[in-house]
Amino acid sequence: MYEAAFEKLRWQKRLNSERVKPFLKWAGGKRRMLADIRSCVPQHFRRYYEPFVGAGAVLFDLQPADAVINDINEELMNVYRVIQSDVEGLIKDLEKHRNEKSYYYKIRDLDLNEDYQKMSDLEKASRIIYLNKTCFNGLFRVNKEGHFNVPFGKYSRPNIVNERTLRGVSRYFRENRVKIMATDFAEAVEDAEEGDFVYLDSPYDPLSTTSYFTSYSNDGFTKKDQIRLHDLFADLDRRGTLVLMSNSATPFIKQMYNNYHITFSSTSRLINADGSKRGRIDEVLVTNY
């Protein structure tokens, strides 16, 4: 009897020590915008869809019981799948990494080697988390060939093995219905129906010709993609799906969504190689409800 009570207490303490929150630093992350986003989330919805999930700040804040998450970045979605299926194995593998410049470049350049494809999904996930924690400014950037090319960050104590958060995210995935995809954003929401909720957080329309971050994937996200996203927004609206979209407050975006409800927000730019350009930017939250 006492052993059972002690075990229950131990398990409860472990749950309390786990945190469901982003475990990666990601361009366009929404942690600093969550209050504004929460105010726009519908009170009731059925299934949750997030086709540009990124680091998952909104997903982990809402923690929906039934969700479809997606990102075109296969490396990122592999990390999510591994956390869902084998978080303890991932934590163990992360412990092998060293915060050393020569070691960093050795791990970074693994994707230049043909043997990279022979690595297990767990090893690839461990590599991405390690690079994210130790590379310059937490960027995920690839060149036109799809190779990770961010330099070493020179941080004194990077949190490479965040056991508390990784276990919390794994528990959330395993205890709920979370489908993980890595495909085109339109395909990810093909099944969305009336009463479902879709949050669209695509790469933003650039504020200037020099500010467009196109290296998140080796395909980029163009004006044509923004138009295709708008067409998807309109299609979801016709289906009776609840839709929330975040984007930069450029004239192009404001004009394209002027038939919907637009709320303005302002947040700090967290990731930019030039420290002088990490100020506040104007953003829009667009809803069809």
Side-chain angles (χ1 to χ4, degrees):
M1 176 178 176
Y2 292 108
E3 289 181 0
F6 176 78
E7 182 63 23
K8 182 178 180 180
L9 178 61
R10 188 183 67 83
W11 178 247
Q12 189 61 49
K13 288 180 66 176
R14 177 178 173 180
L15 290 182
N16 292 339
S17 70
E18 294 173 356
R19 297 285 296 277
V20 184
K21 64 177 184 178
F23 52 88
L24 296 174
K25 187 174 182 180
W26 211 253
K30 290 295 176 288
R31 275 183 278 191
R32 296 197 177 190
M33 201 175 167
L34 282 176
D36 289 342
I37 291 173
R38 285 191 205 109
S39 68
C40 294
V41 172
Q43 289 187 348
H44 303 287
F45 57 86
R46 299 193 308 176
R47 202 176 201 190
Y48 175 79
Y49 290 81
E50 191 170 350
F52 304 93
V53 70
V58 176
L59 170 74
F60 298 139
D61 187 60
L62 298 178
Q63 295 183 41
D66 190 357
V68 176
I69 61 171
N70 174 78
D71 203 285
I72 195 65
N73 189 320
E74 171 60 38
E75 293 271 23
L76 172 63
M77 301 320 288
N78 176 63
V79 173
Y80 281 135
R81 287 192 293 265
V82 170
I83 289 174
Q84 184 182 50
S85 62
D86 188 10
V87 69
E88 296 304 323
L90 176 61
I91 289 171
K92 183 177 181 181
D93 198 80
L94 282 169
E95 291 172 347
K96 73 183 181 186
H97 293 303
R98 305 192 302 272
N99 184 35
E100 299 171 2
K101 185 175 181 179
S102 60
Y103 177 82
Y104 171 85
Y105 285 109
K106 176 184 175 181
I107 299 300
R108 190 195 74 168
D109 294 341
L110 284 173
D111 63 2
L112 296 171
N113 193 314
E114 292 181 359
D115 290 337
Y116 177 70
Q117 298 305 324
K118 299 179 182 178
M119 291 173 59
S120 69
D121 289 343
L122 187 149
E123 291 171 325
K124 290 179 180 178
S126 175
R127 170 180 175 268
I128 289 299
I129 294 176
Y130 165 72
L131 293 177
N132 181 263
K133 298 297 186 179
T134 55
C135 73
F136 175 72
N137 209 26
L139 283 171
F140 185 100
R141 186 183 67 199
V142 296
N143 59 22
K144 292 181 179 180
E145 287 72 43
H147 300 305
F148 194 90
N149 64 355
V150 184
F152 183 57
K154 301 179 182 178
Y155 301 117
S156 59
R157 297 180 63 184
N159 187 12
I160 298 171
V161 191
N162 191 345
E163 298 181 39
R164 183 183 183 188
T165 298
L166 290 173
R167 288 193 175 108
V169 170
S170 180
R171 177 171 53 84
Y172 164 65
F173 283 161
R174 288 182 285 103
E175 293 181 356
N176 296 279
R177 296 182 299 277
V178 181
K179 182 178 180 180
I180 300 172
M181 303 177 68
T183 187
D184 179 75
F185 61 85
E187 184 177 344
V189 298
E190 278 184 346
D191 297 335
E193 300 176 343
E194 183 177 357
D196 291 337
F197 174 44
V198 177
Y199 173 51
L200 300 171
D201 183 35
S202 72
Y204 278 16
D205 187 48
L207 298 171
S208 69
T209 57
T210 59
S211 66
Y212 204 0
F213 182 77
T214 58
S215 303
Y216 168 68
S217 72
N218 56 356
D219 296 323
F221 201 85
T222 66
K223 289 283 188 184
K224 289 183 178 179
D225 291 314
Q226 293 288 356
I227 294 171
R228 194 161 67 92
L229 181 66
H230 169 267
D231 292 343
L232 176 64
F233 191 109
D235 179 52
L236 289 167
D237 184 37
R238 286 189 291 270
R239 295 186 219 172
T241 307
L242 303 164
V243 191
L244 166 63
M245 185 205 71
S246 52
N247 213 314
S248 52
T250 62
F252 176 69
I253 294 296
K254 289 186 288 186
Q255 174 61 34
M256 197 159 47
Y257 291 91
N258 64 358
N259 291 328
Y260 300 100
H261 184 263
I262 298 178
T263 301
F264 291 91
S265 179
S266 179
T267 189
S268 297
R269 185 190 300 273
L270 293 177
I271 296 181
N272 195 304
D274 185 347
S276 65
K277 297 180 180 179
R278 296 179 193 161
R280 301 193 72 81
I281 61 171
D282 292 328
E283 306 184 32
V284 292
L285 292 168
V286 183
T287 63
N288 66 335
Y289 47 86

